[in-house]
Amino acid sequence: MADWANHLIIAPIVLPLVAGALLAVYDERRQFLKGLINLFSTLANLAIAITLLQAAAGDAPGVYLLGNWPAPFGIVLVLDRLSAMLILLTAVLATASLVFSMARWHTVGHHFHTLFQFLIMGVNGAFLTGDLFNLFVFFEVMLASSYGLLLHGSGPRRVQASLHYVVINLTASFFFLIGVALIYGVTGTLNMADLAARIPALAAQNRVLLEVGAAILAMAFLVKAAMWPLGFWLLSAYPAAAPPVAAIFAILSKVGLYALLRLRPMLFGGEAGDAAGYGGTLLFAGGLATIAFGIVGVLASQAMTRIASFSLMISSGTVLAAIGLSDTQVTGGALFYLASSTLTIGAFFLLIELIERGQNPGADLIAVTAETMGTEPDEEDTAIARGVGFPGTLALLGACFLACALLLIGLPPLSGFVAKVALLAGLFAPAGEGSAAGLPVANWAFIVLLLLSGVAALMTLSRVGIRAFWAPVDAVAPRVLAVEVAPVVALLLLTLILSVKGGAVMQYMDDTARSVLAPSSYVEDVLSAPRVPPAKAGLQ
Amino acid sequence: MALLLATCIGILAGSGVWLLLRPRTYQVVIGLSLCALAVNLFIFSMGRLRSGAAPVLASTAGTLADYADPVPQALVLTAIVIGFATTALLLVILLAARGLTGTDHVDGQER
């Protein structure tokens, strides 16, 4: 039984790999079969993710030695609370966006299902790997599939957006490689746990090189996480992507955040000697700048897809700032916020397409988007047959929009509120200080920006909501299939569950934050992971 | 040898970055390729520069100091393959963008 559970750690990588390869074999004319295989694989992935989460919540990190080589020499996969939670988040989002795409979107281009599975594989691998270079490989798997998915549906706007997206991400990959090479040159290892064990003993003259390497490496992650001066690519890429693709892309920026959250305490945590705490201020300031930029962007946006993209930047910035503070309680709140905001923004991207279907294509893409990209309406949008779908469509869409708005603003009863309260509670009670001492300025700045982001979301979303639902006099209800609304509703219900089960979830997040910020047990578990004893020879 | 290699990396990276900032898509692709070469050489140099040393243990004679570090060589191989594939994909996107917008400017329109 234990053996079987241990091998399950590699399943989130192997399953999408096999499914993706299988899907590549089938002809494009057999869309239904391909969709079925993809759906089966995605659901299996979801089941595996749930099992892994239960396993990770119970005990210490599960370590999987590939090829049975001991840890610093071979490649390891490590499952702990953080990776289990993110894998589950990926699986949930993937299921929702796949079901949504089955209505129509998966047929507008080639190899959607194959690329989709490889994307899942890359994301899962990045969350599981315990090795810097493998992190690079899984990053590239993920990025290569995302290039293909961004192009899905083609059209001038998407091709233009992907050109920028690919060039920027390739450049970021070079930073990744230079950073990894520098770190290897200084420490002689790429295993994350081994790095954590070796850094305290590093000679003083090598520390500068290590810090330079880590800073260059972090550039790659910050580009992915869309920190303020590095994140402008997101605003042309995400609104251009097909809606189910944009929804699954909501998890991609979280991979950058994950890498920072994982590596920073490990490399520059409390036990790192002189190097401890390196880069914290910069991450914190960058996070705040990202939130500020996102607030301005949300207020200035007309198109809903751009509002969603700026909201994604705000959520990235919030988590970044929390990583920079590296306080246990704040990090716990940030993890809850990360889960909640990923589900919200995924649902929002799906919902936007359904809402805008009913409107004149491009009606509210006023000057703002016309200037940044061609004004050509997408041919898919004009091709949609209009007419009434099932009754109450508009009411249902309106309710979903309201739920998304509540989540983005951070009002009860949904999880956006719980997440913000958890973050604020952590910020108001800095660890190790009496309540008599005043709050640091940094905390105040964070608190103010966090609340302002809610206000900005409130103003913009009410403006957009009124225009979309109340202002049109002869509103024609868009033709929406149940299979398209269901994933949106399911994602929003999940946020309700997150908030109803808030206590238990928060407990899990706090445990996660504690283990992430004090990675000594992770390091020990990886470095002392027992090898599987050789099987007895069968012939005796 | 170290000076020569450092100069090579510097020239490659410098020309790569300059081309990367140019407005034509083809220049950008060439710039990316030059950057990739510079990065690969850089990874290689992180395994310490040795000439005439094998990366694979041939016998138990001698010490590890007689051998080159195999890890950066493996990393370079992986990086080359990945860089190659993504450059090919970028070329396809470049051609598609040229066909759809009628210009080879990176922004899809002349300034």
Side-chain angles (χ1 to χ4, degrees):
Chain A
M1 180 59 200
D3 261 11
W4 176 81
N6 201 24
H7 282 299
L8 203 62
I9 294 177
I10 201 174
I13 299 173
V14 173
L15 179 75
L17 174 66
V18 173
L22 181 69
L23 284 165
V25 176
Y26 284 107
D27 191 88
E28 286 298 317
R29 276 167 297 180
R30 313 185 68 174
Q31 280 293 356
F32 183 72
L33 179 67
K34 292 182 86 160
L36 219 56
I37 296 175
N38 193 353
L39 189 64
F40 176 75
S41 164
T42 310
L43 287 177
N45 191 28
L46 184 62
I48 292 168
I50 293 172
T51 320
L52 286 180
L53 185 80
Q54 283 166 346
D59 43 29
V63 182
Y64 188 79
L65 303 176
L66 282 148
N68 208 17
W69 290 88
F73 306 110
I75 291 166
V76 286
L77 299 179
V78 188
L79 177 88
D80 68 345
R81 286 197 178 84
L82 180 61
S83 36
M85 166 199 132
L86 286 165
I87 284 175
L88 181 61
L89 200 59
T90 313
V92 167
L93 209 58
T95 313
S97 87
L98 177 66
V99 170
F100 183 91
S101 77
M102 300 287 259
R104 180 165 81 85
W105 280 99
H106 71 138
T107 54
V108 302
H110 291 284
H111 294 297
F112 173 79
H113 296 294
T114 315
L115 291 168
F116 191 87
Q117 284 297 319
F118 286 147
L119 184 81
I120 307 289
M121 172 199 165
V123 174
N124 282 347
F127 289 148
L128 278 174
T129 183
D131 186 274
L132 271 188
F133 198 75
N134 260 19
L135 186 62
F136 169 74
V137 173
F138 282 121
F139 245 71
E140 288 304 311
V141 170
M142 172 186 102
L143 288 175
S145 345
S146 77
Y147 303 152
L149 281 177
L150 182 57
L151 277 169
H152 182 71
S154 197
R157 192 176 153 197
R158 283 191 194 121
V159 170
Q160 207 56 53
S162 0
L163 189 65
H164 297 177
Y165 179 73
V166 175
V167 171
I168 287 167
N169 277 304
L170 280 180
T171 315
S173 304
F174 295 147
F175 280 108
F176 200 136
L177 280 173
I178 294 175
V180 165
L182 267 174
I183 291 177
Y184 178 78
V186 175
T187 61
T189 181
L190 286 173
N191 185 296
M192 295 179 195
D194 201 23
L195 272 175
R198 283 190 194 198
I199 282 176
L202 208 61
Q205 74 268 24
N206 283 342
R207 219 189 64 227
V208 179
L209 266 182
L210 174 81
E211 289 179 355
V212 169
I216 294 177
L217 184 64
M219 287 280 286
F221 301 140
L222 289 173
V223 167
K224 202 67 233 149
M227 193 177 88
W228 163 58
L230 306 172
F232 299 119
W233 58 269
L234 190 143
L235 301 168
S236 63
Y238 282 39
V245 173
I248 189 74
F249 275 15
I251 198 77
L252 292 199
S253 59
K254 271 59 183 183
V255 181
L257 292 174
Y258 161 80
L260 289 166
L261 190 56
R262 168 73 79 210
L263 288 175
R264 195 169 165 274
M266 193 109 60
L267 268 53
F268 302 112
E271 290 149 32
D274 292 339
Y278 175 70
T281 323
L282 195 71
L283 282 179
F284 181 72
L288 292 192
T290 314
I291 305 178
F293 177 71
I295 291 174
V296 175
V298 161
L299 285 175
S301 296
Q302 303 286 325
M304 285 202 217
T305 44
R306 281 179 76 82
I307 295 174
S309 307
F310 277 114
S311 309
L312 190 59
M313 288 188 88
I314 292 180
S315 82
S316 267
T318 310
V319 179
L320 270 178
I323 296 174
L325 276 184
S326 61
D327 171 275
T328 314
Q329 213 184 339
V330 175
T331 309
L335 286 171
F336 192 102
Y337 179 83
L338 186 148
S340 157
S341 72
T342 309
L343 293 175
T344 310
I345 290 168
F348 196 34
F349 267 119
L350 296 179
L351 181 67
I352 289 168
E353 201 257 337
L354 300 180
I355 294 173
E356 291 192 336
R357 223 178 251 187
Q359 301 168 353
N360 198 11
D364 58 354
L365 312 182
I366 317 178
V368 184
T369 39
E371 168 231 0
T372 44
M373 48 206 78
T375 39
E376 303 280 317
D378 290 341
E379 57 266 34
E380 307 95 45
D381 287 344
T382 46
I384 301 160
R386 288 211 168 61
V388 181
F390 57 89
T393 303
L394 263 185
L396 184 59
L397 291 184
C400 288
F401 183 83
L402 183 68
C404 276
L406 289 181
L407 280 161
L408 288 173
I409 299 163
L411 288 178
L414 298 175
S415 62
F417 173 70
V418 183
K420 282 203 175 164
V421 167
L423 265 174
L424 291 176
L427 285 171
F428 272 118
E433 264 182 73
S435 53
L439 278 179
V441 182
N443 285 26
W444 274 119
F446 196 0
I447 290 165
V448 167
L449 277 174
L450 201 59
L451 294 176
L452 270 182
S453 73
V455 175
L458 172 69
M459 287 163 66
T460 303
L461 289 172
S462 45
R463 168 161 54 85
V464 172
I466 288 170
R467 197 169 55 214
F469 293 103
W470 291 346
V473 181
D474 49 351
V476 182
R479 197 175 141 274
V480 170
L481 302 176
V483 77
E484 289 174 307
V485 186
V488 179
V489 175
L491 285 180
L492 294 173
L493 279 180
L494 269 180
T495 63
L496 184 64
I497 294 175
L498 267 188
S499 121
V500 171
K501 293 271 175 199
V505 178
M506 205 55 228
Q507 182 61 42
Y508 182 87
M509 299 299 182
D510 278 338
D511 287 348
T512 310
R514 218 164 290 130
S515 70
V516 164
L517 290 180
S520 55
S521 76
Y522 175 102
V523 173
E524 259 168 48
D525 280 335
V526 171
L527 291 182
S528 65
R531 296 170 62 188
V532 179
K536 294 219 175 72
L539 286 176
Q540 283 183 340
Chain B
M1 191 163 65
L3 184 66
L4 184 67
L5 187 76
T7 320
C8 279
I9 295 177
I11 291 174
L12 281 173
S15 3
V17 169
W18 188 74
L19 280 175
L20 203 55
L21 300 173
R22 302 294 300 157
R24 306 281 149 210
T25 45
Y26 188 69
Q27 291 170 317
V28 171
V29 174
I30 299 297
L32 280 173
S33 309
L34 289 182
C35 281
L37 288 176
V39 169
N40 288 341
L41 282 176
F42 181 78
I43 300 176
F44 209 69
S45 70
M46 278 296 126
R48 309 292 180 272
L49 295 176
R50 307 287 302 274
S51 57
V56 182
L57 297 182
S59 67
T60 48
T63 62
L64 277 182
D66 298 334
Y67 294 92
D69 190 344
V71 176
Q73 307 198 3
L75 302 190
V76 167
L77 259 182
T78 318
I80 289 174
V81 173
I82 291 177
F84 198 61
T86 40
T87 309
L89 179 71
L90 187 59
L91 279 170
V92 174
I93 298 177
L94 179 159
L95 285 177
R98 173 76 180 78
L100 285 169
T101 60
T103 163
D104 64 349
H105 195 283
V106 284
D107 290 333
Q109 58 194 21
E110 300 293 336
R111 296 274 153 176

